[in-house]
Amino acid sequence: MNRRPLAIAAAIVGVLALAAFALPNLPPNPVTDALDNRVLHEKGKRYASAADAPKRGDRAFVLPGWIPRDATDVRIRARGDGRARLIRFTLGKTPLDGPQCAAAAPRKAGGPHLGARWWPGDTRAEERPECRDGYQYQVSVRGRKVYAWTDGTPAPGGRIPDGGAPAGAPADAPAAAPAAVSAR
């Protein structure tokens, strides 16, 4: 009996299993970026400061207006449609003047259903709603590090510009259908 096809099949299954566990944990590179964009429909960027982040363009990476411009080490992980996002940054000299929800009681948000190695994952007890953007964020401050996430829940009384882009993003950005959020 020829065992060579069985050995080849086992090797292929082993390589695929290894890739499934290893690729999401590797540093950003063309392979992990392609996996994130095409398979997980997620993308991420890192900026030295909030001032380096775009003010228009890809709505997933336009920062909410309540983030101080002198914030540093800004990291963003977003769904392909830009609605669900994780944001982490370090405060500069400008203090965070929130979080706040003035218009009405904040809506119940589902949870940060995105994955990033830099996200602590246990922020629920200290989160406070932030409603000054088109989307409602949940914000947690730990020392000088700030963690904020949104699942795309509109802020109460807030207006999401045409096309579903967060405030600050261009209103002519194409609308994207809501995507099912998956944990990673």
Side-chain angles (χ1 to χ4, degrees):
M1 176 177 189
N2 188 1
R3 293 187 183 179
R4 186 171 188 193
L6 184 61
I8 291 172
I12 290 172
V13 169
V15 168
L16 291 175
L18 179 64
F21 288 108
L23 286 177
N25 295 312
L26 291 175
N29 63 61
V31 174
T32 59
D33 290 346
L35 175 72
D36 285 347
N37 289 336
R38 298 187 194 280
V39 177
L40 301 175
H41 304 289
E42 296 178 3
K43 49 191 170 181
K45 290 219 179 191
R46 186 175 185 173
Y47 302 101
S49 73
D52 296 336
K55 295 178 185 38
R56 60 186 54 208
D58 186 349
R59 65 177 157 232
F61 302 114
V62 174
L63 294 176
W66 51 266
I67 295 179
R69 298 306 297 164
D70 66 344
T72 59
D73 191 23
V74 179
R75 298 177 187 200
I76 304 169
R77 181 87 178 152
R79 294 291 297 170
D81 63 7
R83 290 185 177 133
R85 299 196 288 175
L86 299 176
I87 302 173
R88 188 198 91 179
F89 58 91
T90 303
L91 289 171
K93 292 181 181 179
T94 307
L96 188 64
D97 66 345
Q100 50 187 287
C101 285
R107 296 182 174 112
K108 181 175 170 80
H113 299 291
L114 293 164
R117 288 183 306 180
W118 44 263
W119 189 260
D122 59 347
T123 61
R124 289 294 245 185
E126 57 207 56
E127 290 173 355
R128 302 293 177 258
E130 170 56 66
C131 300
R132 289 179 287 171
D133 194 33
Y135 295 119
Q136 176 179 306
Y137 283 82
Q138 300 299 319
V139 180
S140 172
V141 180
R142 293 183 173 179
R144 303 216 43 87
K145 297 260 189 250
V146 179
Y147 300 90
W149 65 267
T150 182
D151 61 359
T153 301
R159 182 181 167 282
I160 296 175
D162 294 339
D172 61 341
V181 181
S182 64
R184 182 173 82 121

